[in-house]
Amino acid sequence: VNTDEFEEFVVARSAALLRFGWLVCSDAYEAEDLVQGALAGAYRHRRRLSRHDIEPYMRRSIVNAQATRWTRSLRRTVILDDLHLPEVPHDAHSAVEDRVWALQLLRSLPPRQRAVLVMRYVYDLDEATVARELGVTRGTVKSQASKALASLRAATPQPEEAAP
Amino acid sequence: VIDVEQRLRGALSDPALAPRPPSDPVDWVHRRVRRDRRRRAAGGVVAVAVVSASAVLAATRVGLAPADRLDVTAASTAAADWAPPPAERAVASASRLPKTLVGVSAVGTVDVVLEGDAGRAGQTALAIFQDGGRYCSAFLDTPQMLSGCAKPESQSPTKLWWLTGQTTSGAGYAAPEAFAWGWAPAGTTYVTLHARGDQAVTLRAYPATDSKFDGRAFFFGRYDVMRPIQVTAYDANRDLIDKYDFSPGTPRSQP
Protein backbone atom coordinates (compact mmCIF):
# COMPACT_ATOMS: atom_id res chain seq x y z
CA VAL A 1 0.00 0.00 0.00
CA ASN A 2 1.13 3.56 -0.48
CA THR A 3 1.22 6.16 2.29
CA ASP A 4 -2.30 7.44 1.62
CA GLU A 5 -3.73 3.93 1.65
CA PHE A 6 -1.88 3.13 4.83
CA GLU A 7 -3.23 6.24 6.54
CA GLU A 8 -6.74 5.37 5.39
CA PHE A 9 -6.30 1.97 6.97
CA VAL A 10 -5.08 3.53 10.21
CA VAL A 11 -8.07 5.86 10.40
CA ALA A 12 -10.52 3.07 9.58
CA ARG A 13 -9.09 0.25 11.66
CA SER A 14 -7.04 1.59 14.57
CA ALA A 15 -10.00 1.39 16.98
CA ALA A 16 -10.65 -2.24 16.00
CA LEU A 17 -6.96 -3.05 16.36
CA LEU A 18 -6.91 -1.46 19.79
CA ARG A 19 -9.76 -3.72 20.81
CA PHE A 20 -7.87 -6.74 19.50
CA GLY A 21 -4.71 -5.61 21.30
CA TRP A 22 -6.65 -5.09 24.50
CA LEU A 23 -8.11 -8.59 24.31
CA VAL A 24 -4.69 -10.07 23.64
CA CYS A 25 -2.93 -8.31 26.50
CA SER A 26 -5.84 -7.39 28.85
CA ASP A 27 -4.48 -3.93 29.49
CA ALA A 28 -5.73 -0.81 27.73
CA TYR A 29 -2.48 1.09 27.99
CA GLU A 30 -0.32 -1.81 26.99
CA ALA A 31 -2.68 -2.35 24.07
CA GLU A 32 -2.10 1.22 22.94
CA ASP A 33 1.62 0.63 23.08
CA LEU A 34 1.37 -2.68 21.21
CA VAL A 35 -0.89 -1.36 18.47
CA GLN A 36 0.99 1.89 18.04
CA GLY A 37 4.25 -0.05 17.74
CA ALA A 38 2.76 -2.54 15.31
CA LEU A 39 1.34 0.24 13.14
CA ALA A 40 4.66 2.07 13.18
CA GLY A 41 6.36 -1.15 12.09
CA ALA A 42 3.80 -1.71 9.35
CA TYR A 43 4.30 1.86 8.18
CA ARG A 44 7.96 1.14 7.56
CA HIS A 45 7.08 -1.95 5.49
CA ARG A 46 3.90 -0.58 3.94
CA ARG A 47 5.09 -0.97 0.36
CA ARG A 48 5.43 -4.71 0.86
CA LEU A 49 1.85 -5.01 2.15
CA SER A 50 -1.34 -5.22 0.14
CA ARG A 51 -4.73 -3.92 1.22
CA HIS A 52 -5.81 -7.51 1.66
CA ASP A 53 -3.08 -8.64 4.00
CA ILE A 54 -2.44 -5.55 6.10
CA GLU A 55 -4.95 -6.35 8.83
CA PRO A 56 -3.86 -9.99 9.30
CA TYR A 57 -0.28 -8.69 9.31
CA MET A 58 -1.19 -6.25 12.05
CA ARG A 59 -2.86 -8.91 14.18
CA ARG A 60 0.14 -11.15 13.81
CA SER A 61 2.50 -8.30 14.73
CA ILE A 62 0.48 -7.52 17.83
CA VAL A 63 0.48 -11.15 18.97
CA ASN A 64 4.21 -11.51 18.28
CA ALA A 65 5.01 -8.29 20.12
CA GLN A 66 2.98 -9.42 23.10
CA ALA A 67 4.69 -12.82 23.05
CA THR A 68 8.08 -11.11 23.04
CA ARG A 69 7.10 -9.01 26.04
CA TRP A 70 5.85 -12.08 27.82
CA THR A 71 9.20 -13.80 27.57
CA ARG A 72 10.87 -10.94 29.40
CA SER A 73 9.81 -11.81 32.87
CA LEU A 74 10.64 -8.41 34.34
CA ARG A 75 8.20 -6.84 31.94
CA ARG A 76 5.17 -8.79 32.95
CA THR A 77 2.29 -6.95 34.45
CA VAL A 78 1.87 -7.60 38.13
CA ILE A 79 -1.73 -8.42 38.78
CA LEU A 80 -3.50 -6.56 41.51
CA ASP A 81 -3.93 -8.85 44.47
CA ASP A 82 -7.59 -9.13 45.35
CA LEU A 83 -6.73 -10.04 48.91
CA HIS A 84 -5.66 -6.49 49.52
CA LEU A 85 -8.93 -4.98 48.38
CA PRO A 86 -11.74 -4.17 50.75
CA GLU A 87 -14.62 -6.62 50.86
CA VAL A 88 -17.48 -5.33 48.78
CA PRO A 89 -20.80 -6.92 47.95
CA HIS A 90 -21.13 -7.84 44.30
CA ASP A 91 -24.20 -8.64 42.32
CA ALA A 92 -23.72 -12.22 41.25
CA HIS A 93 -23.27 -13.09 37.61
CA SER A 94 -23.14 -9.48 36.46
CA ALA A 95 -21.65 -8.70 33.09
CA VAL A 96 -18.89 -6.78 34.79
CA GLU A 97 -17.96 -9.73 36.92
CA ASP A 98 -17.92 -11.91 33.84
CA ARG A 99 -15.58 -9.50 32.10
CA VAL A 100 -13.30 -9.35 35.10
CA TRP A 101 -13.36 -13.16 35.21
CA ALA A 102 -12.57 -13.45 31.50
CA LEU A 103 -9.80 -10.85 31.51
CA GLN A 104 -8.14 -12.28 34.60
CA LEU A 105 -8.14 -15.77 33.18
CA LEU A 106 -6.89 -14.56 29.81
CA ARG A 107 -4.07 -12.76 31.59
CA SER A 108 -3.00 -16.00 33.17
CA LEU A 109 -2.47 -17.68 29.80
CA PRO A 110 0.66 -17.50 27.66
CA PRO A 111 0.22 -14.92 24.87
CA ARG A 112 -0.21 -17.34 21.98
CA GLN A 113 -2.85 -19.38 23.80
CA ARG A 114 -4.60 -16.14 24.67
CA ALA A 115 -4.45 -14.97 21.05
CA VAL A 116 -5.85 -18.26 19.80
CA LEU A 117 -8.76 -18.07 22.25
CA VAL A 118 -9.52 -14.47 21.34
CA MET A 119 -9.38 -15.15 17.62
CA ARG A 120 -11.40 -18.38 17.83
CA TYR A 121 -14.06 -17.50 20.39
CA VAL A 122 -14.34 -13.72 20.43
CA TYR A 123 -13.68 -13.05 16.74
CA ASP A 124 -15.13 -16.38 15.60
CA LEU A 125 -12.32 -17.03 13.15
CA ASP A 126 -11.97 -20.63 12.02
CA GLU A 127 -8.90 -22.70 12.77
CA ALA A 128 -7.48 -22.37 9.27
CA THR A 129 -7.69 -18.56 9.38
CA VAL A 130 -6.14 -18.36 12.83
CA ALA A 131 -3.35 -20.69 11.73
CA ARG A 132 -2.68 -18.60 8.63
CA GLU A 133 -2.67 -15.31 10.53
CA LEU A 134 -0.41 -16.58 13.30
CA GLY A 135 1.85 -18.49 10.92
CA VAL A 136 1.32 -21.85 12.62
CA THR A 137 -0.32 -25.13 11.66
CA ARG A 138 -3.98 -25.96 12.27
CA GLY A 139 -2.85 -28.65 14.67
CA THR A 140 -1.03 -26.03 16.73
CA VAL A 141 -4.12 -23.84 16.84
CA LYS A 142 -6.20 -26.80 17.93
CA SER A 143 -3.79 -27.85 20.66
CA GLN A 144 -3.26 -24.29 21.92
CA ALA A 145 -7.01 -23.74 22.13
CA SER A 146 -7.47 -27.05 23.90
CA LYS A 147 -4.78 -26.29 26.48
CA ALA A 148 -6.11 -22.78 27.02
CA LEU A 149 -9.68 -23.96 27.54
CA ALA A 150 -8.49 -26.65 29.93
CA SER A 151 -6.68 -23.99 31.96
CA LEU A 152 -9.78 -21.81 31.98
CA ARG A 153 -11.99 -24.67 33.10
CA ALA A 154 -9.54 -25.63 35.82
CA ALA A 155 -9.49 -22.05 37.10
CA THR A 156 -13.27 -21.64 37.01
CA PRO A 157 -15.15 -23.00 40.01
CA GLN A 158 -18.12 -25.15 39.14
CA PRO A 159 -21.46 -23.93 40.53
CA GLU A 160 -21.52 -26.38 43.42
CA GLU A 161 -17.96 -25.36 44.38
CA ALA A 162 -18.78 -21.68 44.13
CA ALA A 163 -21.85 -21.88 46.36
CA PRO A 164 -21.29 -20.61 49.92
CA VAL B 1 -20.19 -28.04 33.60
CA ILE B 2 -19.70 -24.39 32.85
CA ASP B 3 -19.44 -23.67 29.15
CA VAL B 4 -16.20 -21.72 29.25
CA GLU B 5 -16.22 -20.89 25.53
CA GLN B 6 -19.72 -19.49 25.75
CA ARG B 7 -18.97 -17.48 28.86
CA LEU B 8 -15.84 -16.08 27.24
CA ARG B 9 -17.83 -15.02 24.20
CA GLY B 10 -20.52 -13.45 26.33
CA ALA B 11 -18.05 -11.59 28.50
CA LEU B 12 -15.94 -10.10 25.75
CA SER B 13 -18.00 -9.93 22.61
CA ASP B 14 -19.42 -6.45 23.16
CA PRO B 15 -17.56 -4.33 20.57
CA ALA B 16 -17.99 -1.28 22.80
CA LEU B 17 -15.52 -2.84 25.21
CA ALA B 18 -12.32 -1.39 23.93
CA PRO B 19 -9.81 1.27 24.84
CA ARG B 20 -10.66 4.72 23.65
CA PRO B 21 -9.10 5.19 20.20
CA PRO B 22 -6.74 8.11 19.61
CA SER B 23 -8.42 11.26 18.33
CA ASP B 24 -5.94 11.53 15.47
CA PRO B 25 -4.73 7.99 14.75
CA VAL B 26 -2.51 8.99 11.83
CA ASP B 27 -0.60 11.49 13.96
CA TRP B 28 -0.50 8.87 16.72
CA VAL B 29 1.29 6.43 14.43
CA HIS B 30 3.65 9.05 13.02
CA ARG B 31 4.64 10.12 16.52
CA ARG B 32 5.60 6.53 17.24
CA VAL B 33 7.51 6.27 13.97
CA ARG B 34 9.49 9.40 14.88
CA ARG B 35 10.09 8.18 18.42
CA ASP B 36 11.33 4.81 17.15
CA ARG B 37 13.69 6.59 14.76
CA ARG B 38 15.09 8.70 17.57
CA ARG B 39 15.58 5.63 19.69
CA ARG B 40 17.38 3.77 16.95
CA ALA B 41 19.56 6.82 16.35
CA ALA B 42 20.37 6.91 20.07
CA GLY B 43 21.54 3.31 19.97
CA GLY B 44 18.36 1.83 21.33
CA VAL B 45 18.67 3.39 24.75
CA VAL B 46 15.24 3.79 26.24
CA ALA B 47 14.51 5.46 29.51
CA VAL B 48 12.35 3.25 31.68
CA ALA B 49 10.24 4.92 34.28
CA VAL B 50 8.60 3.02 37.06
CA VAL B 51 6.27 4.25 39.70
CA SER B 52 6.44 2.38 42.94
CA ALA B 53 4.61 2.69 46.18
CA SER B 54 7.91 2.84 48.00
CA ALA B 55 8.99 5.68 45.74
CA VAL B 56 5.80 7.54 46.58
CA LEU B 57 6.38 7.10 50.25
CA ALA B 58 10.06 7.91 50.03
CA ALA B 59 9.33 11.03 48.07
CA THR B 60 6.60 12.23 50.37
CA ARG B 61 8.50 11.51 53.54
CA VAL B 62 11.94 12.66 52.61
CA GLY B 63 10.96 15.33 50.13
CA LEU B 64 13.53 14.26 47.62
CA ALA B 65 13.18 14.93 43.94
CA PRO B 66 16.30 13.42 42.41
CA ALA B 67 16.99 13.70 38.75
CA ASP B 68 15.91 10.16 38.03
CA ARG B 69 12.44 10.82 39.31
CA LEU B 70 9.76 12.39 37.23
CA ASP B 71 7.46 15.25 37.99
CA VAL B 72 3.88 14.08 37.98
CA THR B 73 2.45 17.53 38.45
CA ALA B 74 3.25 18.71 34.95
CA ALA B 75 -0.18 17.83 33.69
CA SER B 76 -2.01 19.37 36.59
CA THR B 77 -0.58 22.85 36.39
CA ALA B 78 -3.89 24.05 34.99
CA ALA B 79 -5.39 23.31 38.36
CA ALA B 80 -2.81 25.15 40.43
CA ASP B 81 -4.88 24.89 43.55
CA TRP B 82 -4.70 21.14 43.32
CA ALA B 83 -1.01 20.80 42.63
CA PRO B 84 0.85 19.13 45.46
CA PRO B 85 3.83 20.91 47.01
CA PRO B 86 7.27 20.14 45.58
CA ALA B 87 8.02 17.57 48.22
CA GLU B 88 5.18 15.44 46.96
CA ARG B 89 6.01 15.78 43.32
CA ALA B 90 8.46 12.99 42.84
CA VAL B 91 6.55 9.76 42.76
CA ALA B 92 8.23 8.08 39.86
CA SER B 93 11.52 6.35 40.06
CA ALA B 94 13.72 5.05 37.31
CA SER B 95 14.67 2.12 39.48
CA ARG B 96 13.29 -1.34 39.02
CA LEU B 97 10.40 -2.43 41.11
CA PRO B 98 10.24 -6.13 41.91
CA LYS B 99 6.66 -6.14 42.99
CA THR B 100 3.67 -3.88 42.91
CA LEU B 101 2.13 -2.86 46.17
CA VAL B 102 -1.52 -2.24 46.73
CA GLY B 103 -3.11 -0.98 49.85
CA VAL B 104 -6.24 0.84 50.90
CA SER B 105 -7.66 1.71 54.27
CA ALA B 106 -10.39 3.98 55.53
CA VAL B 107 -10.20 7.47 54.17
CA GLY B 108 -8.16 9.66 56.41
CA THR B 109 -5.52 7.01 56.76
CA VAL B 110 -5.06 6.08 53.13
CA ASP B 111 -1.42 6.18 52.27
CA VAL B 112 -1.02 4.58 48.93
CA VAL B 113 -3.14 2.75 46.44
CA LEU B 114 -1.03 1.68 43.61
CA GLU B 115 -1.52 -0.64 40.73
CA GLY B 116 0.95 -1.12 37.99
CA ASP B 117 3.69 -3.16 36.52
CA ALA B 118 7.38 -2.78 36.52
CA GLY B 119 10.22 -2.54 34.17
CA ARG B 120 8.94 -1.18 30.91
CA ALA B 121 8.39 2.19 29.39
CA GLY B 122 4.74 2.96 29.13
CA GLN B 123 3.76 0.82 32.05
CA THR B 124 0.62 1.71 33.90
CA ALA B 125 0.69 2.80 37.47
CA LEU B 126 -1.72 4.48 39.73
CA ALA B 127 -1.28 5.93 43.14
CA ILE B 128 -3.58 7.68 45.53
CA PHE B 129 -1.67 9.22 48.34
CA GLN B 130 -2.36 11.63 51.09
CA ASP B 131 -0.94 15.08 50.81
CA GLY B 132 -1.79 17.32 53.72
CA GLY B 133 -5.47 16.58 53.59
CA ARG B 134 -5.69 16.24 49.85
CA TYR B 135 -5.90 12.92 48.15
CA CYS B 136 -3.72 12.76 45.09
CA SER B 137 -3.73 10.34 42.24
CA ALA B 138 -0.76 9.83 39.98
CA PHE B 139 -0.64 7.99 36.77
CA LEU B 140 2.16 7.06 34.44
CA ASP B 141 1.38 6.39 30.83
CA THR B 142 2.96 6.31 27.40
CA PRO B 143 4.27 8.72 26.45
CA GLN B 144 3.28 11.22 29.04
CA MET B 145 2.64 11.12 32.72
CA LEU B 146 -0.58 12.54 34.04
CA SER B 147 -1.62 13.40 37.48
CA GLY B 148 -4.42 14.98 39.38
CA CYS B 149 -5.16 15.76 42.95
CA ALA B 150 -8.58 15.64 44.48
CA LYS B 151 -9.33 18.09 47.18
CA PRO B 152 -12.56 16.71 48.56
CA GLU B 153 -13.19 19.63 50.89
CA SER B 154 -13.45 21.89 47.85
CA GLN B 155 -16.33 19.83 46.47
CA SER B 156 -19.89 19.86 47.62
CA PRO B 157 -20.25 17.42 50.52
CA THR B 158 -23.74 16.53 49.33
CA LYS B 159 -22.76 15.45 45.82
CA LEU B 160 -21.07 12.46 44.34
CA TRP B 161 -17.60 13.19 43.12
CA TRP B 162 -16.01 10.92 40.64
CA LEU B 163 -12.32 10.32 40.36
CA THR B 164 -11.94 7.44 38.05
CA GLY B 165 -12.15 6.79 34.36
CA GLN B 166 -9.91 6.46 31.39
CA THR B 167 -6.95 8.74 30.80
CA THR B 168 -8.01 12.31 30.30
CA SER B 169 -6.35 15.57 29.52
CA GLY B 170 -6.73 18.66 31.64
CA ALA B 171 -6.83 17.67 35.26
CA GLY B 172 -5.43 14.37 34.17
CA TYR B 173 -7.45 11.87 36.09
CA ALA B 174 -6.67 8.35 35.14
CA ALA B 175 -7.45 4.87 36.24
CA PRO B 176 -6.75 1.35 35.18
CA GLU B 177 -9.74 -0.31 33.67
CA ALA B 178 -11.73 -2.55 36.00
CA PHE B 179 -11.33 -0.25 38.98
CA ALA B 180 -13.44 2.63 40.12
CA TRP B 181 -13.30 5.02 43.01
CA GLY B 182 -14.61 8.36 44.07
CA TRP B 183 -16.13 10.44 46.82
CA ALA B 184 -19.73 10.21 47.98
CA PRO B 185 -21.83 12.38 50.30
CA ALA B 186 -21.86 11.90 54.04
CA GLY B 187 -23.98 8.98 55.11
CA THR B 188 -23.28 6.95 51.99
CA THR B 189 -22.76 3.29 52.71
CA TYR B 190 -23.12 1.81 49.25
CA VAL B 191 -22.51 3.14 45.77
CA THR B 192 -23.90 1.40 42.74
CA LEU B 193 -22.34 1.72 39.33
CA HIS B 194 -24.54 1.00 36.39
CA ALA B 195 -23.66 1.22 32.72
CA ARG B 196 -26.16 0.63 29.96
CA GLY B 197 -26.41 -3.06 29.23
CA ASP B 198 -24.77 -4.08 32.48
CA GLN B 199 -26.20 -5.13 35.77
CA ALA B 200 -25.41 -2.74 38.57
CA VAL B 201 -22.35 -3.37 40.69
CA THR B 202 -22.43 -2.30 44.30
CA LEU B 203 -19.35 -0.97 46.02
CA ARG B 204 -18.90 -0.33 49.70
CA ALA B 205 -18.26 3.29 50.66
CA TYR B 206 -15.97 4.06 53.58
CA PRO B 207 -16.61 7.14 55.71
CA ALA B 208 -13.71 9.54 56.00
CA THR B 209 -12.18 9.45 59.42
CA ASP B 210 -10.90 13.00 59.21
CA SER B 211 -13.55 15.47 60.41
CA LYS B 212 -12.64 18.02 57.78
CA PHE B 213 -14.21 15.79 55.15
CA ASP B 214 -17.65 16.27 56.69
CA GLY B 215 -18.19 12.55 56.98
CA ARG B 216 -18.16 12.00 53.26
CA ALA B 217 -17.30 8.57 52.02
CA PHE B 218 -14.71 7.11 49.72
CA PHE B 219 -15.64 4.22 47.46
CA PHE B 220 -13.34 1.88 45.70
CA GLY B 221 -13.80 -1.37 43.88
CA ARG B 222 -13.94 -3.31 40.70
CA TYR B 223 -15.52 -1.77 37.69
CA ASP B 224 -14.27 -1.38 34.18
CA VAL B 225 -15.15 2.14 33.23
CA MET B 226 -15.38 2.19 29.49
CA ARG B 227 -18.64 3.95 28.86
CA PRO B 228 -20.97 6.46 30.46
CA ILE B 229 -22.16 5.23 33.77
CA GLN B 230 -24.81 6.05 36.32
CA VAL B 231 -23.51 6.29 39.86
CA THR B 232 -25.95 6.19 42.77
CA ALA B 233 -25.21 6.68 46.45
CA TYR B 234 -27.33 4.98 49.11
CA ASP B 235 -27.29 4.99 52.87
CA ALA B 236 -27.29 1.85 55.02
CA ASN B 237 -31.07 1.52 54.58
CA ARG B 238 -30.68 1.66 50.81
CA ASP B 239 -32.35 5.08 50.69
CA LEU B 240 -31.19 7.24 47.84
CA ILE B 241 -28.69 10.00 48.67
CA ASP B 242 -27.50 11.19 45.26
CA LYS B 243 -27.41 10.04 41.68
CA TYR B 244 -25.41 11.25 38.72
CA ASP B 245 -24.46 10.19 35.19
CA PHE B 246 -20.74 10.28 34.58
CA SER B 247 -18.70 9.84 31.48
CA PRO B 248 -15.41 8.00 31.82
CA GLY B 249 -12.68 10.34 32.93
CA THR B 250 -15.03 13.23 33.47
CA PRO B 251 -15.54 14.22 37.08
CA ARG B 252 -18.75 15.95 38.00
CA SER B 253 -18.55 19.68 37.58
CA GLN B 254 -18.08 21.66 40.72
CA PRO B 255 -21.33 23.05 42.05
Side-chain angles (χ1 to χ4, degrees):
Chain A
V1 295
N2 60 33
T3 301
D4 288 344
E5 289 168 332
F6 181 81
E7 291 182 350
E8 279 171 26
F9 170 80
V10 169
V11 170
R13 300 301 296 161
S14 56
L17 290 170
L18 269 173
R19 172 169 157 72
F20 179 76
W22 173 68
L23 289 168
V24 163
C25 73
S26 310
D27 179 296
Y29 304 102
E30 194 163 350
E32 283 182 13
D33 204 35
L34 279 175
V35 174
Q36 193 191 33
L39 282 167
Y43 177 78
R44 287 198 297 276
H45 305 301
R46 63 192 179 280
R47 304 212 179 277
R48 279 188 255 154
L49 297 169
S50 70
R51 279 172 180 268
H52 179 68
D53 58 18
I54 188 166
E55 185 146 351
Y57 175 87
M58 284 299 307
R59 283 203 284 257
R60 186 171 177 173
S61 297
I62 290 166
V63 172
N64 286 344
Q66 174 62 7
T68 302
R69 287 171 182 231
W70 178 267
T71 58
R72 299 175 187 170
S73 58
L74 279 174
R75 299 187 175 193
R76 280 182 202 163
T77 296
V78 179
I79 305 302
L80 198 68
D81 184 349
D82 284 353
L83 296 176
H84 291 133
L85 298 178
E87 285 297 319
V88 293
H90 286 295
D91 296 55
H93 311 303
S94 76
V96 172
E97 286 298 290
D98 263 3
R99 279 205 293 281
V100 171
W101 165 84
L103 290 172
Q104 279 183 344
L105 288 184
L106 282 178
R107 266 193 203 109
S108 70
L109 298 174
R112 290 190 195 284
Q113 286 186 21
R114 194 185 316 176
V116 166
L117 277 197
V118 167
M119 293 167 93
R120 287 282 289 122
Y121 300 111
V122 181
Y123 284 76
D124 278 327
L125 299 177
D126 59 37
E127 284 174 354
T129 306
V130 176
R132 194 170 55 248
E133 290 202 5
L134 295 182
V136 297
T137 65
R138 279 183 68 172
T140 301
V141 171
K142 198 177 270 186
S143 68
Q144 295 269 25
S146 172
K147 281 181 194 165
L149 288 173
S151 300
L152 262 55
R153 286 193 189 98
T156 305
Q158 298 302 305
E160 59 270 26
E161 296 171 23
Chain B
V1 175
I2 288 177
D3 183 350
V4 172
E5 299 98 312
Q6 204 55 40
R7 197 169 165 201
L8 198 64
R9 272 198 187 96
L12 301 175
S13 59
D14 182 353
L17 288 170
R20 191 187 313 181
S23 55
D24 183 346
V26 171
D27 176 63
W28 182 63
V29 174
H30 284 302
R31 273 191 282 126
R32 178 61 174 259
V33 170
R34 288 194 294 273
R35 194 185 85 182
D36 289 352
R37 276 187 194 137
R38 283 197 301 273
R39 284 181 175 179
R40 282 196 298 277
V45 177
V46 179
V48 175
V50 176
V51 167
S52 75
S54 56
V56 173
L57 293 174
T60 53
R61 285 176 183 163
V62 184
L64 294 176
D68 65 347
R69 291 183 172 166
L70 305 175
D71 185 351
V72 299
T73 63
S76 62
T77 49
D81 184 41
W82 291 0
E88 268 69 47
R89 286 184 177 180
V91 299
S93 163
S95 62
R96 277 185 179 171
L97 176 68
K99 192 176 176 184
T100 296
L101 303 176
V102 177
V104 63
S105 57
V107 171
T109 57
V110 169
D111 288 320
V112 173
V113 177
L114 187 144
E115 191 270 343
D117 60 347
R120 68 176 175 80
Q123 52 104 42
T124 60
L126 167 74
I128 300 175
F129 55 96
Q130 197 172 13
D131 162 28
R134 300 168 182 173
Y135 286 81
C136 304
S137 65
F139 182 76
L140 179 64
D141 194 8
T142 302
Q144 78 277 33
M145 190 182 300
L146 303 173
S147 80
C149 291
K151 196 176 178 185
E153 61 268 41
S154 70
Q155 313 305 325
S156 165
T158 60
K159 302 289 184 190
L160 280 159
W161 175 248
W162 182 251
L163 267 182
T164 193
Q166 297 292 297
T167 308
T168 64
S169 55
Y173 295 119
E177 74 276 26
F179 285 87
W181 67 93
W183 294 96
T188 301
T189 307
Y190 297 104
V191 173
T192 63
L193 312 175
H194 193 184
R196 184 171 51 82
D198 282 343
Q199 291 184 39
V201 165
T202 305
L203 304 179
R204 180 83 167 81
Y206 298 85
T209 53
D210 191 322
S211 61
K212 78 171 114 179
F213 296 139
D214 303 316
R216 78 191 65 202
F218 180 75
F219 59 93
F220 179 85
R222 277 181 179 175
Y223 201 88
D224 49 351
V225 187
M226 287 202 171
R227 56 181 111 189
I229 182 177
Q230 186 177 80
V231 183
T232 312
Y234 298 95
D235 65 14
N237 298 319
R238 294 271 178 176
D239 289 331
L240 178 73
I241 291 183
D242 190 24
K243 184 162 78 172
Y244 196 73
D245 292 325
F246 291 92
S247 292
T250 309
R252 184 176 191 153
S253 300
Q254 292 189 42

